[in-house]
Amino acid sequence: ETGAELVVSGGDPSAPNPMLNVHNTQPPIDNLALVQNTSAIGVPGTFINRETGEAFEELFLVPFFIQKSRTLWPRGFARDRSPDCSSDNGDVAVNILPNGEIPLYPGATCEDCVHNFPKWEPREGLEPCAPGHTVLFYDIEAYSVTRMRFSGTGNRIVDRILKKPQVFQKQVVRIIAVKQTSDVGSWWQDVGTATGEITDAQRANILALGQQFLPPDTSTQAAA
Protein backbone atom coordinates (compact mmCIF):
# COMPACT_ATOMS: atom_id res chain seq x y z
CA GLU A 1 0.00 0.00 0.00
CA THR A 2 -7.96 -0.13 -0.69
CA GLY A 3 -11.01 1.17 -1.62
CA ALA A 4 -14.00 3.21 -1.15
CA GLU A 5 -17.05 1.52 -0.27
CA LEU A 6 -14.44 0.24 -0.10
CA VAL A 7 -15.04 0.14 -3.89
CA VAL A 8 -13.76 -3.23 -5.04
CA SER A 9 -14.70 -3.35 -8.70
CA GLY A 10 -11.96 -2.00 -10.97
CA GLY A 11 -9.09 0.25 -10.05
CA ASP A 12 -5.65 -0.47 -8.67
CA PRO A 13 -5.82 -1.60 -5.02
CA SER A 14 -2.46 0.09 -4.41
CA ALA A 15 -3.49 3.50 -5.76
CA PRO A 16 -3.20 6.52 -3.42
CA ASN A 17 -6.19 6.62 -1.13
CA PRO A 18 -7.12 9.18 1.56
CA MET A 19 -8.42 6.41 3.80
CA LEU A 20 -5.03 6.10 5.45
CA ASN A 21 -5.41 9.62 6.80
CA VAL A 22 -7.31 8.24 9.75
CA HIS A 23 -8.99 10.42 12.34
CA ASN A 24 -9.68 10.24 16.06
CA THR A 25 -12.72 7.94 15.74
CA GLN A 26 -10.90 5.16 13.92
CA PRO A 27 -11.00 1.65 15.38
CA PRO A 28 -7.85 0.54 17.22
CA ILE A 29 -5.16 -0.94 14.99
CA ASP A 30 -2.68 -3.67 15.91
CA ASN A 31 0.71 -2.92 14.33
CA LEU A 32 2.49 -6.15 13.44
CA ALA A 33 6.05 -6.56 12.19
CA LEU A 34 8.03 -9.53 10.94
CA VAL A 35 11.00 -10.06 13.28
CA GLN A 36 14.35 -10.29 11.47
CA ASN A 37 17.73 -11.52 12.72
CA THR A 38 18.75 -7.88 13.21
CA SER A 39 15.64 -6.86 15.17
CA ALA A 40 16.15 -5.66 18.71
CA ILE A 41 13.30 -7.72 20.18
CA GLY A 42 11.36 -10.83 19.30
CA VAL A 43 12.13 -14.25 17.85
CA PRO A 44 13.29 -14.08 14.21
CA GLY A 45 10.70 -15.51 11.85
CA THR A 46 7.70 -14.57 14.02
CA PHE A 47 5.27 -11.67 13.80
CA ILE A 48 5.27 -9.37 16.80
CA ASN A 49 2.66 -6.89 17.99
CA ARG A 50 4.65 -3.68 18.47
CA GLU A 51 2.40 -2.45 21.27
CA THR A 52 1.84 -5.61 23.32
CA GLY A 53 4.87 -7.75 22.43
CA GLU A 54 2.59 -10.69 21.60
CA ALA A 55 4.15 -12.97 18.98
CA PHE A 56 2.58 -15.14 16.27
CA GLU A 57 4.05 -17.86 14.07
CA GLU A 58 1.25 -17.54 11.51
CA LEU A 59 -1.52 -15.09 10.73
CA PHE A 60 -4.98 -15.53 9.17
CA LEU A 61 -6.14 -12.15 7.85
CA VAL A 62 -8.29 -10.57 5.13
CA PRO A 63 -6.57 -7.71 3.23
CA PHE A 64 -9.02 -4.84 2.79
CA PHE A 65 -6.83 -1.77 2.20
CA ILE A 66 -3.52 -1.38 0.34
CA GLN A 67 -1.58 1.87 0.10
CA LYS A 68 1.72 2.56 -1.64
CA SER A 69 4.52 4.08 0.43
CA ARG A 70 8.18 5.07 0.12
CA THR A 71 10.99 5.17 2.69
CA LEU A 72 14.47 6.67 2.51
CA TRP A 73 16.80 4.91 4.93
CA PRO A 74 20.15 6.37 6.04
CA ARG A 75 23.30 4.81 4.66
CA GLY A 76 24.80 2.01 6.73
CA PHE A 77 23.13 -0.36 9.17
CA ALA A 78 21.87 0.71 12.57
CA ARG A 79 19.54 -1.37 14.72
CA ASP A 80 15.99 0.03 14.85
CA ARG A 81 17.08 3.03 12.78
CA SER A 82 14.65 5.77 11.78
CA PRO A 83 14.19 6.83 8.14
CA ASP A 84 15.58 10.06 6.73
CA CYS A 85 12.36 10.62 4.80
CA SER A 86 9.13 8.77 4.01
CA SER A 87 5.86 9.01 2.14
CA ASP A 88 2.53 7.55 3.22
CA ASN A 89 1.14 7.48 -0.32
CA GLY A 90 4.20 6.99 -2.53
CA ASP A 91 3.71 10.44 -4.07
CA VAL A 92 4.48 13.14 -1.48
CA ALA A 93 6.84 13.08 1.49
CA VAL A 94 5.41 13.48 4.99
CA ASN A 95 6.02 16.70 6.91
CA ILE A 96 6.85 14.94 10.18
CA LEU A 97 8.34 11.49 10.74
CA PRO A 98 6.83 9.07 13.30
CA ASN A 99 9.65 9.89 15.73
CA GLY A 100 8.68 13.60 15.60
CA GLU A 101 11.66 14.69 13.52
CA ILE A 102 11.46 16.66 10.27
CA PRO A 103 12.34 14.57 7.16
CA LEU A 104 14.99 15.63 4.68
CA TYR A 105 12.38 16.64 2.10
CA PRO A 106 9.13 17.59 3.88
CA GLY A 107 6.19 17.82 1.49
CA ALA A 108 8.38 17.17 -1.55
CA THR A 109 7.14 15.25 -4.60
CA CYS A 110 8.62 11.75 -4.68
CA GLU A 111 8.70 11.55 -8.48
CA ASP A 112 11.14 14.44 -8.74
CA CYS A 113 13.34 13.44 -5.78
CA VAL A 114 17.04 12.77 -6.37
CA HIS A 115 16.66 9.54 -4.36
CA ASN A 116 13.96 8.16 -6.68
CA PHE A 117 16.00 5.61 -8.63
CA PRO A 118 16.25 1.79 -8.62
CA LYS A 119 18.98 0.33 -6.45
CA TRP A 120 20.44 -1.55 -9.44
CA GLU A 121 21.16 1.84 -11.06
CA PRO A 122 23.19 3.47 -8.23
CA ARG A 123 23.97 7.16 -8.04
CA GLU A 124 27.18 8.26 -6.39
CA GLY A 125 26.68 9.57 -2.87
CA LEU A 126 22.94 8.86 -2.79
CA GLU A 127 20.79 6.14 -1.28
CA PRO A 128 17.73 4.96 -3.25
CA CYS A 129 14.29 5.49 -1.76
CA ALA A 130 12.64 2.13 -1.13
CA PRO A 131 9.09 1.60 -2.46
CA GLY A 132 6.73 -0.31 -0.22
CA HIS A 133 3.14 -0.83 0.87
CA THR A 134 1.04 -0.33 3.96
CA VAL A 135 -1.71 -2.95 4.23
CA LEU A 136 -4.69 -3.04 6.55
CA PHE A 137 -6.11 -6.47 7.34
CA TYR A 138 -9.25 -7.59 9.13
CA ASP A 139 -9.09 -10.50 11.57
CA ILE A 140 -12.54 -12.08 11.29
CA GLU A 141 -12.01 -14.12 14.47
CA ALA A 142 -10.69 -11.33 16.69
CA TYR A 143 -12.86 -8.63 15.04
CA SER A 144 -9.80 -6.39 14.88
CA VAL A 145 -7.76 -4.44 12.35
CA THR A 146 -4.08 -5.16 11.77
CA ARG A 147 -1.56 -2.96 9.98
CA MET A 148 1.59 -4.31 8.35
CA ARG A 149 4.21 -2.51 6.29
CA PHE A 150 6.02 -4.25 3.45
CA SER A 151 9.20 -3.18 1.66
CA GLY A 152 12.01 -4.75 -0.33
CA THR A 153 11.33 -8.41 -1.03
CA GLY A 154 8.32 -8.09 1.28
CA ASN A 155 6.49 -6.37 -1.60
CA ARG A 156 6.21 -9.74 -3.31
CA ILE A 157 3.38 -10.94 -1.09
CA VAL A 158 1.46 -7.75 -1.86
CA ASP A 159 1.89 -8.01 -5.63
CA ARG A 160 1.49 -11.78 -5.91
CA ILE A 161 -1.28 -12.44 -3.38
CA LEU A 162 -2.85 -9.53 -1.52
CA LYS A 163 -3.63 -7.35 -4.58
CA LYS A 164 -5.23 -10.14 -6.58
CA PRO A 165 -8.91 -9.35 -7.33
CA GLN A 166 -9.94 -12.84 -6.27
CA VAL A 167 -8.20 -12.38 -2.90
CA PHE A 168 -8.44 -8.68 -2.00
CA GLN A 169 -11.37 -8.18 0.43
CA LYS A 170 -12.62 -11.66 -0.45
CA GLN A 171 -10.37 -14.32 1.08
CA VAL A 172 -8.56 -15.10 4.30
CA VAL A 173 -4.80 -15.22 3.71
CA ARG A 174 -2.51 -17.39 5.79
CA ILE A 175 0.79 -15.54 6.27
CA ILE A 176 3.95 -17.20 7.54
CA ALA A 177 7.66 -16.37 7.43
CA VAL A 178 10.15 -18.45 5.45
CA LYS A 179 13.90 -18.08 5.85
CA GLN A 180 15.74 -16.97 2.71
CA THR A 181 19.49 -17.11 2.09
CA SER A 182 21.69 -15.48 -0.53
CA ASP A 183 25.31 -14.46 -1.03
CA VAL A 184 24.72 -11.33 1.05
CA GLY A 185 23.15 -13.07 4.04
CA SER A 186 19.82 -14.41 5.26
CA TRP A 187 16.45 -12.89 6.09
CA TRP A 188 12.86 -13.88 6.78
CA GLN A 189 10.34 -13.51 3.95
CA ASP A 190 6.56 -13.04 4.23
CA VAL A 191 4.73 -15.79 2.32
CA GLY A 192 0.97 -15.89 1.86
CA THR A 193 -1.60 -18.47 0.82
CA ALA A 194 -5.27 -17.75 0.16
CA THR A 195 -7.28 -20.22 2.24
CA GLY A 196 -10.85 -19.62 1.03
CA GLU A 197 -13.51 -17.00 0.54
CA ILE A 198 -15.22 -15.27 3.42
CA THR A 199 -19.00 -15.16 3.69
CA ASP A 200 -21.14 -12.35 2.31
CA ALA A 201 -21.95 -11.30 5.88
CA GLN A 202 -18.26 -11.13 6.81
CA ARG A 203 -17.47 -9.11 3.71
CA ALA A 204 -20.30 -6.69 4.51
CA ASN A 205 -18.77 -6.20 7.97
CA ILE A 206 -15.37 -5.46 6.42
CA LEU A 207 -16.82 -2.90 4.01
CA ALA A 208 -18.72 -1.21 6.83
CA LEU A 209 -15.60 -1.20 9.00
CA GLY A 210 -13.63 0.44 6.22
CA GLN A 211 -15.89 3.48 6.34
CA GLN A 212 -14.51 4.26 9.79
CA PHE A 213 -11.10 4.91 8.22
CA LEU A 214 -12.41 7.69 5.99
CA PRO A 215 -11.74 11.27 7.16
CA PRO A 216 -15.00 13.15 7.81
CA ASP A 217 -14.71 15.29 4.65
CA THR A 218 -13.75 12.46 2.29
CA SER A 219 -16.22 11.26 -0.32
CA THR A 220 -17.23 7.61 -0.10
CA GLN A 221 -16.27 7.38 -3.75
CA ALA A 222 -12.56 7.70 -3.00
CA ALA A 223 -10.23 5.96 -5.43
CA ALA A 224 -9.91 2.22 -5.14
Side-chain angles (χ1 to χ4, degrees), residues 66-88:
I66 299 174
Q67 175 73 69
K68 288 182 178 179
S69 65
R70 299 191 72 89
T71 307
L72 175 62
W73 296 104
R75 179 171 297 185
F77 171 76
R79 189 183 299 276
D80 296 332
R81 58 183 176 171
S82 296
D84 284 338
C85 191
S86 69
S87 169
D88 288 337

Side-chain angles (χ1 to χ4, degrees), residues 56 89 193:
F56 308 89
N89 58 16
T193 304

Side-chain angles (χ1 to χ4, degrees), residues 32-33 35 42-43 46-49 52-59:
L32 297 186
V35 181
V43 177
T46 64
F47 301 91
I48 190 169
N49 185 315
T52 67
E54 186 178 6
F56 308 89
E57 292 186 353
E58 60 181 354
L59 305 170

Side-chain angles (χ1 to χ4, degrees), residues 72-74 80-86 93-107:
L72 175 62
W73 296 104
D80 296 332
R81 58 183 176 171
S82 296
D84 284 338
C85 191
S86 69
V94 299
N95 290 311
I96 300 178
L97 294 169
N99 61 7
E101 297 181 358
I102 304 299
L104 288 179
Y105 310 101

Side-chain angles (χ1 to χ4, degrees), residues 133-155:
H133 296 86
T134 296
V135 181
L136 297 185
F137 298 90
Y138 183 61
D139 186 328
I140 59 175
E141 293 186 358
Y143 304 103
S144 62
V145 176
T146 293
R147 174 166 46 210
M148 295 182 68
R149 304 182 190 277
F150 300 89
S151 62
T153 58
N155 287 312

Side-chain angles (χ1 to χ4, degrees), residues 23 26 38 43 54 69 75 78 127 131 135 145 153 165 167-168 172 185 189 194-195 210 214 223:
H23 51 92
Q26 72 172 43
T38 55
V43 177
E54 186 178 6
S69 65
R75 179 171 297 185
E127 290 293 304
V135 181
V145 176
T153 58
V167 174
F168 179 67
V172 176
Q189 177 78 50
T195 64
L214 284 167

